[in-house]
Amino acid sequence: MIRSLVEKELRQNGIIMSFLLASFAGALWLLLRNDAIMRAGSALDALRVLLMLLTPLSAVFLAQVLVASEFRNRTQLFLEGLPLPRWKMLAVKYALGLAMLLFCTALLFVYVVRVGH
C-alpha cells in the first residue's frame, strides 16, 4: 500500500520535482559563473551558498505542493478512504520531499566535486 502511495506521489508531482531539480541546477550554474563568489572561495562555497538560500525555500515549496495538491486534484477523499492511518500518508509525503531535497543536494555535490572549478 505504501509503495502505491509513493508511485502516486511521483506520478502526481513528478513535473514539480523535476522543476525543483532544474532550478537547483540553474542556480548553481549562475553561482559558479559569479566572479565574486568564485574569487572568495571554491565551487564548494558556491554550493554552500546555494544550499543556504534555496533549501529552506524549496522545503516550504515542496511541503505546499505535496499537501495542497491533494485538495487541488480532489484526491483527499480517496486517500482518507484508504485503510491506512493518516500518519502513514503524511510520512510518505514527508519522506518523499526529504528524499527529493537530498537527491538534488547529492547530484549538485557530485557535479561540483567532478567539475571542481
Side-chain angles (χ1 to χ4, degrees), residues 44-61:
L44 288 174
D45 287 332
L47 180 62
R48 181 183 56 84
V49 168
L50 171 77
L51 292 177
M52 284 189 331
L53 293 175
L54 285 185
T55 301
L57 181 63
S58 298
V60 170
F61 173 73

Side-chain angles (χ1 to χ4, degrees), residues 2-48:
I2 299 231
R3 181 178 180 200
S4 61
L5 278 175
V6 171
E7 289 172 356
K8 178 198 85 68
E9 291 297 328
L10 289 175
R11 263 193 324 270
Q12 191 173 356
N13 300 310
I15 293 174
I16 298 296
M17 292 181 185
S18 60
F19 170 74
L20 182 67
L21 180 61
S23 64
F24 265 75
L28 181 65
W29 182 80
L30 286 173
L31 284 175
L32 289 176
R33 300 309 178 264
N34 189 342
D35 289 334
I37 290 176
M38 293 311 292
R39 271 187 269 141
S42 67
L44 288 174
D45 287 332
L47 180 62
R48 181 183 56 84

Side-chain angles (χ1 to χ4, degrees), residues 28-110:
L28 181 65
W29 182 80
L30 286 173
L31 284 175
L32 289 176
R33 300 309 178 264
N34 189 342
D35 289 334
I37 290 176
M38 293 311 292
R39 271 187 269 141
S42 67
L44 288 174
D45 287 332
L47 180 62
R48 181 183 56 84
V49 168
L50 171 77
L51 292 177
M52 284 189 331
L53 293 175
L54 285 185
T55 301
L57 181 63
S58 298
V60 170
F61 173 73
L62 269 177
Q64 192 275 336
V65 165
L66 289 174
V67 173
S69 66
E70 301 304 332
F71 292 101
R72 190 173 45 251
N73 295 330
R74 299 189 197 321
T75 55
Q76 178 193 14
L77 294 175
F78 167 73
L79 288 177
E80 289 176 356
L82 292 175
L84 278 174
R86 187 173 287 205
W87 71 267
K88 282 189 179 181
M89 287 184 266
L90 291 175
V92 166
K93 289 180 178 291
Y94 176 78
L96 188 63
L98 182 63
M100 186 60 198
L101 285 175
L102 290 175
F103 178 72
C104 288
T105 303
L107 278 180
L108 294 177
F109 179 74
V110 167

